[in-house]
Amino acid sequence: MVQPTGSASLLDTAVARFYDLVLDDPRLAHWFSDVDMTRLRRHQAEFLGTALDGGASRYDLRRAHAGLGIDDAAFDRVVEHLGAALAAVGIEDGHRRDIQQAAAGLRDQVVEA
Ligand code: HEM
């Protein structure tokens, strides 16, 4: 888990960058096109929070993503963008990999196609 060490704004920047990458990616943007911004913000906060906590979430991720048809390729790209965003704000490689691994561990709950 990444300790905040007074750098909440660093994580905020990483989150913003992460979603810029996701929404700018033509292979991913369509999943979010009908999603309202309130839910999108909740998604981004929850995504990062869940990844940082090693997968603990108060959401039922399987239910949250049921019927969305998210496949392995889309999931991989989202995790890649997460890594790129964390690297861009200078999160050290070891931490970045831990976070990506925690996110990757949620695949079975999100991917259904
Ligand atoms: C570790 C991976 C992920 C986590 C922790 C996560 C978390 C969540 C949560 C908590 C919700 C419910 C939000 C709410 O009820 O307000 C949600 C919904 C959603 N997620 Fe994810 N997600 C992950 C991966 C993905 C991926 C890979 C995609 C698409 C490529 C995706 C697309 C969506 C969409 C479209 C919704 C529905 C939003 C809505 O209906 O308003 N998620 N996700």
Side-chain angles (χ1 to χ4, degrees):
M1 158 144 191
V2 168
Q3 299 302 324
T5 59
S7 58
S9 65
L10 190 72
L11 282 184
D12 288 348
T13 311
V15 168
R17 195 180 278 255
F18 167 56
Y19 265 82
D20 284 349
L21 291 171
V22 168
L23 296 179
D24 282 349
D25 185 333
R27 280 173 283 184
L28 295 175
H30 64 93
W31 263 290
F32 296 94
S33 57
D34 290 334
V35 175
D36 75 62
M37 286 312 288
T38 307
R39 287 182 68 106
L40 188 59
R41 273 194 291 273
R42 208 150 65 209
H43 186 253
Q44 76 184 42
E46 194 69 22
F47 182 97
L48 254 281
T50 303
L52 292 171
D53 284 349
S57 171
R58 65 196 176 86
Y59 281 94
D60 179 342
L61 292 181
R62 206 178 293 279
R63 208 163 136 189
H65 299 91
L68 296 178
I70 296 169
D71 56 15
D72 281 313
F75 186 86
D76 287 344
R77 288 193 71 77
V78 166
V79 173
E80 260 174 50
H81 287 321
L82 173 65
L86 295 173
V89 299
I91 304 276
E92 170 267 313
D93 276 4
H95 267 155
R96 181 176 55 71
R97 274 195 294 272
D98 286 349
I99 295 167
Q100 278 184 281
Q101 236 164 51
L106 303 171
R107 178 188 302 272
D108 286 355
Q109 297 172 55
V110 172
V111 168
E112 63 177 4

